[in-house]
């Protein structure tokens, strides 16, 4: 039975929650392997809409065990609030597993994130201000707080003291902010220990044993390929690895265990926050995509920047992730355009470039080269098979598939769980 990675192939917000939820009833475990509550997944089940931030989308599928892996950074208050909200709506959350090696977002991480972004002014990156980056920085600097530390007050106190020795100097002398008391932070973090205890586990052992028993494990990335700290549009990226390799380090599973890598691809392109975006639209078409597609960030509440489909980015995502399949979402949003532009290459300094430039400077100067594809006006939301789509919609999907370098195995024609055309099974 397969281990699958499911990830965003653009700048995030591609519809990963819908895709994960679609597979959730057929898999035994769904694992978040990176990011924190800076990610946002929207899942629509019947007439119910669920906005998930830290929890894997599989938590909405009975019989599926949701797992928060060691590569995730966890804000305990957000996690407990999210669990409480789902419980109030009748969702069973008791099967959740939380890695004891996952790092904790502390109150001082959030403070540092917010004051640093304000200090940058016009140079700001566009973070969510939720402490994600500073927590990953603490992890790399080996002064981070892990979930398991909540169960040893002595170790927890020592680690908080070590972290605040430096951070209080920065807060008081550079940012003119008040110092943060060690005892106050320790007391707050210890207050989460008993509430989180039922979920804490050695998730690396659990997942590897599950795979040895031929269980199906789905690894779910947050954000998207172009926000990867190593392979994205640096520095306008997240602080972790949403690409496929991140699933191995963020969950403790070897690469030989993974059988398929599925990229989620929106039928157009969006991004939230600052950074280059070659196909971004500033006209009526961009506003129409935003309005029809409901393009507002699940986590940030910010309007998403919208643009036409970028095949250069799709090809890049195929390459760096080793994608075996695409799940194309929001095809229905494009209904009504007489012609639909698709970016097939860039023009940089008068030269045509068909692959993503490695140079930040070149990418900032990239201008899209468009190919016009015929649109359609028919309602496609009730389509159950590829043959049900209008001919022009079929041609659009086939063109994107050819340009992107991997087969499109499923198509989203609406927000609902059942509004999906499955062309090839992922399992």
């Amino acid at each position: 039975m397969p281990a699958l990675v499911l990830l965003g192939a653009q700048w995030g917000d591609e519809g990963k929650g819908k895709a994960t939820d679609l597979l959730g009833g057929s898999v035994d475990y769904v694992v978040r392997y990176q990011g924190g509550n800076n990610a946002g997944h929207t899942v629509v089940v019947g007439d119910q809409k669920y906005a998930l931030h830290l929890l894997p989308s599989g938590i909405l599928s009975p019989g599926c065990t949701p797992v928060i892996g060691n590569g995730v950074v966890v804000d305990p208050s957000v996690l407990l609030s999210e669990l409480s909200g789902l419980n109030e709506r009748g969702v069973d959350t008791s099967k959740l597993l939380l890695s004891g090696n996952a790092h904790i977002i502390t109150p001082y991480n959030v403070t540092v994130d917010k004051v640093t972004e304000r200090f940058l002014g016009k140079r700001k990156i566009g973070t969510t201000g939720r402490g994600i980056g500073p927590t990953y920085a603490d992890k790399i600097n080996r002064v981070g707080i892990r979930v398991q530390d909540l169960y040893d007050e002595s170790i927890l106190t020592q680690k908080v003291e070590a972290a605040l020795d430096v951070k209080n100097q920065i807060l008081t002398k550079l940012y003119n902010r008040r110092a943060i008391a060690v005892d106050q932070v320790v007391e707050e973090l210890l207050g989460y220990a008993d509430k989180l205890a039922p979920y804490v586990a050695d998730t690396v052992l659990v997942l590897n044993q599950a795979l040895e028993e031929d269980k199906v494990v789905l690894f779910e990335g947050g954000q998207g390929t172009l926000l990867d700290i190593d392979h994205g549009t640096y520095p306008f990226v997240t602080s972790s690895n949403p690409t496929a390799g991140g699933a191995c380090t963020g969950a403790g599973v070897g690469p030989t265990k993974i059988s398929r890598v599925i990229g989620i691809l929106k039928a157009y392109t969006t991004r939230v926050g600052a950074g280059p975006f070659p196909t971004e639209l500033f006209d009526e078409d961009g506003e129409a995509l935003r309005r029809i597609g409901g393009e507002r960030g699940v986590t940030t509440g910010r309007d998403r920047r919208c643009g036409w489909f970028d095949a250069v980015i799709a090809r890049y995502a195929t390459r760096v992730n080793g994608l075996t399949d695409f799940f194309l979402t929001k095809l229905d949003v494009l209904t009504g355009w007489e012609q639909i532009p698709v970016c097939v290459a860039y023009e940089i300094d008068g030269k045509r470039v068909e692959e993503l430039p490695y140079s930040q400077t070149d990418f900032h100067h990239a201008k899209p080269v468009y190919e016009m594809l015929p649109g359609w006006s028919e309602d496609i939301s009730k389509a159950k098979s590829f043959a049900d789509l209008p001919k022009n919609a079929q041609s659009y999907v086939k063109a994107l598939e050819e340009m992107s370098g991997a087969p499109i195995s499923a198509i989203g024609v609406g927000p609902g769980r059942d509004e999906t055309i499955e062309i090839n099974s992922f399992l």
Side-chain angles (χ1 to χ4, degrees):
M1 298 296 287
L4 309 102
V5 179
L6 190 148
L7 52 85
Q10 294 161 319
W11 275 288
D13 304 309
E14 302 94 345
K16 294 180 291 294
K18 175 183 173 68
T20 307
D21 180 63
L22 179 70
L23 292 166
S26 306
V27 302
D28 300 296
Y29 293 82
V30 175
V31 187
R32 270 287 305 278
Y33 60 83
Q34 52 73 225
N37 56 306
N38 57 340
H41 294 163
T42 301
V43 180
V44 179
V45 182
D47 59 353
Q48 296 292 307
K49 180 184 286 189
Y50 299 87
L52 305 175
H53 303 279
L54 266 171
L55 293 170
S57 301
I59 201 159
L60 299 174
S61 300
C64 179
T65 300
V67 179
I68 296 176
N70 57 274
V72 179
V73 291
V74 179
D75 185 321
S77 65
V78 172
L79 177 57
L80 291 170
S81 175
E82 202 165 327
L83 287 167
S84 176
L86 289 179
N87 289 332
E88 289 174 2
R89 297 176 68 177
V91 177
D92 179 16
T93 62
S94 62
K95 297 182 73 173
L96 174 70
L97 298 180
L98 169 63
S99 172
N101 287 340
H103 279 247
I104 293 285
I105 300 173
T106 66
Y108 53 79
N109 291 137
V110 177
T111 299
V112 168
D113 196 2
K114 290 179 178 178
V115 298
T116 302
E117 188 77 346
R118 280 199 292 269
F119 186 78
L120 288 172
K122 291 188 294 183
R123 300 187 305 277
K124 66 182 181 180
I125 295 168
T127 77
T128 59
R130 286 163 167 79
I132 310 298
T135 304
Y136 276 115
D138 281 0
K139 177 178 180 177
I140 298 303
N141 288 326
R142 291 161 289 183
V143 293
I145 309 298
R146 298 192 293 179
V147 170
Q148 60 175 280
D149 296 330
L150 302 182
Y151 304 96
D152 189 321
E153 184 173 352
S154 176
I155 287 178
L156 177 62
T157 302
Q158 291 176 47
K159 288 190 172 184
V160 172
E161 285 176 344
L164 285 178
D165 276 348
V166 176
K167 286 182 173 55
N168 275 335
Q169 295 292 320
I170 296 171
L171 286 171
T172 57
K173 296 179 179 178
L174 178 61
Y175 296 124
N176 196 29
R177 298 293 293 261
R178 191 177 304 168
I180 297 172
V182 172
D183 292 347
Q184 183 178 343
V185 174
V186 170
E187 182 181 359
E188 179 176 336
L189 294 179
L190 288 174
Y192 298 122
D194 288 344
K195 296 174 183 177
L196 293 177
Y199 307 109
V200 180
D202 181 352
T203 57
V204 173
L205 178 62
V206 170
L207 293 172
N208 279 282
Q209 287 179 336
L211 289 170
E212 289 167 7
E213 295 168 2
D214 287 335
K215 300 289 179 64
V216 184
V217 179
L218 177 65
F219 300 93
E220 175 188 61
Q223 290 88 35
T225 297
L226 273 295
L227 291 178
D228 187 278
I229 186 69
D230 288 293
H231 304 291
T233 49
Y234 190 90
F236 303 99
V237 292
T238 193
S239 301
S240 58
N241 293 108
T243 45
C248 299
T249 54
V253 172
T256 56
K257 301 285 181 70
I258 295 170
S259 52
R260 295 182 84 167
V261 183
I262 304 161
I264 314 305
L265 199 61
K266 199 175 282 184
Y268 48 101
T269 311
T270 64
R271 83 170 292 177
V272 171
F277 183 0
T279 66
E280 183 172 10
L281 296 169
F282 301 95
D283 57 10
E284 292 179 359
D285 284 332
E287 184 54 42
L289 287 174
R290 185 178 297 110
R291 175 175 47 81
I292 299 168
E295 297 298 349
R296 181 176 286 268
V298 178
T299 296
T300 63
R302 291 180 286 185
D303 283 343
R304 296 180 185 134
R305 300 157 63 189
C306 295
W308 299 120
F309 185 86
D310 190 329
V312 181
I313 285 173
R315 287 195 293 274
Y316 178 76
T318 301
R319 183 178 304 113
V320 298
N321 292 296
L323 296 180
T324 59
D325 304 82
F326 277 116
F327 186 139
L328 185 70
T329 63
K330 291 199 169 184
L331 184 65
D332 54 300
V333 173
L334 295 180
T335 299
W337 268 273
E338 191 172 327
Q339 288 191 309
I340 305 171
V342 172
C343 173
V344 296
Y346 300 144
E347 181 185 309
I348 302 173
D349 295 331
K351 296 180 180 178
R352 181 184 173 105
V353 176
E354 298 195 358
E355 301 297 343
L356 196 76
Y358 79 90
S359 162
Q360 176 184 343
T361 301
D362 284 349
F363 195 55
H364 272 278
H365 291 95
K367 297 178 181 178
V369 176
Y370 286 116
E371 180 178 313
M372 305 301 292
L373 299 179
W376 60 92
S377 58
E378 301 92 331
D379 178 14
I380 65 171
S381 62
K382 301 296 188 291
K384 300 299 180 185
S385 69
F386 188 71
D388 291 339
L389 293 174
K391 293 298 182 184
N392 285 351
Q394 292 181 31
S395 298
Y396 185 81
V397 172
K398 290 176 181 176
L400 265 52
E401 181 177 74
E402 184 176 346
M403 295 174 189
S404 302
I408 292 174
S409 294
I411 304 167
V413 293
R417 174 183 273 180
D418 58 345
E419 292 176 310
T420 302
I421 297 171
E422 193 170 346
I423 300 172
N424 297 308
S425 174
F426 292 123
L427 298 173

